[in-house]
Amino acid sequence: MNELAAENSVTLAAAIRVGVFTIFPQMIIEFCAHSLLGRAQQRGALTLDVVDLREHGLGAHRSVDDAPFGGGAGMVMRPDVVAAAVETSNAPRPVFLLGPGGRQFDQACAEELAAGPGFSMLCGRYEGIDQRAVDAVCEDEISLGDMVLSGGEVAALAIIEAVTRLVPSVMGNAESALDESFTTGLLEYPHYTRPADFRGELVPDVLLGGDHGRVERWRRAQAISRTMQRRPDLIAVRGGVTDAERRLLAEFGLD
């Protein structure tokens, strides 16, 4: 096991179920039918439970929203509709509201979710969801970040992809997920492929020499250097750079 793999101590689930409550189920279904997520479903590594909130909507138009008490712009998703959709479904628990007040989603959060058997996400629309429904059916809240979106679907898709790709059977190379940005608190090292000479820019010699140990050290040094330059906040969170890491940077002239 390489150094990066050794640092990753999270025990990941062999398969995962993810539920999504939304008024736009096709957005979720169609996106997840392609590429890695599509293959994950075919292999049984990902089970997707998409619940259309409009199935519990009211009237001929399956209405899911109404005007807010107290006045104001926009509409609010009804608590009876949302609660009925969640409580009558077999979607996995816990249920997370996707909203700005929750824990900010990051790689550590993805690993925690990937270590469990499954979870669900509630996608809001309009001005939001009646708080009584949130209190009744959601165990917690997750935020994609400090930005404003029209609904929770984009956040749900990002979370599904980030979590599913950590399931061991999903990616072709089991170590691929261990080397990626943020997995060890660092940005990922730069990648190179053919041609070796592109517009006069050459692939670093270290990658052509066949010394796998030296390649591993170079990649680690590059990850540290990149993070120091581009995301010093991540370096601060991990407590700075160790003496061993400084020696590694000096080995490749990156100090």
Side-chain angles (χ1 to χ4, degrees), residues 54-73:
R54 290 196 184 279
E55 292 182 359
H56 296 268
L58 306 178
H61 298 290
R62 301 281 188 181
S63 177
V64 299
D65 61 316
D66 212 325
F69 283 117

